[in-house]
Amino acid sequence: NLELKKTKIKTSLSTMHQRYEFFFNCNHNKILYNSMVPDRYRIVITRWRLSCHSLFIETGRYKRPPIERESRKCLICNILEDEEHALLFCLAHRHIRLHSRELLTRYSTIKSLLNPMNSDDIILIAKYILEIEKNMEALQMLR
């Protein structure tokens, strides 16, 4: 019975496991966890890798009653508010993306963005994410 449940979770398209596998299908990121960068930057990226953020894709599942996944939409764009949308496409953050063009050229997918290749990029990516979070708070997008 337990093995059947595990198989069901791994094959379901709507579970956190599937979403995590889709975005971050990768092993331990040695650069992120072994480099000598301030912990606050490493923590920011790790939070987003673990979906420990305030995007509606996460917070909506804790509402009572839970909000269906497809209904957890961005207040600005009216499409699913997930990591990819918030960091790469949301219209509310386009001015932040303009300032980070060079970084986003090198890290053009959510998977690559949350798996930095060197210490300098860890800091740049963490600052970028912090700016997005600050903007979401200023625009009262957090629910």
Side-chain angles (χ1 to χ4, degrees), residues 46-79:
T46 300
R47 275 192 304 104
W48 280 69
R49 285 172 58 101
L50 296 173
S51 291
C52 185
H53 46 61
S54 298
L55 296 179
F56 202 41
I57 189 76
E58 273 304 305
T59 60
R61 68 192 193 124
Y62 299 114
K63 303 284 184 193
R64 291 293 170 237
I67 297 170
E68 290 296 317
R69 186 178 192 282
E70 298 77 30
S71 300
R72 300 177 203 163
K73 297 184 177 182
C74 172
L75 292 172
I76 308 297
C77 306
N78 200 34
I79 60 173

Side-chain angles (χ1 to χ4, degrees), residues 16-36:
M16 284 296 298
H17 175 75
Q18 281 299 109
R19 199 164 131 254
Y20 187 81
E21 286 290 319
F22 173 75
F23 282 133
F24 315 113
N25 191 13
C26 56
N27 293 323
H28 176 76
N29 184 320
K30 290 181 181 171
I31 292 168
L32 181 61
Y33 300 112
N34 293 336
S35 62
M36 298 302 288

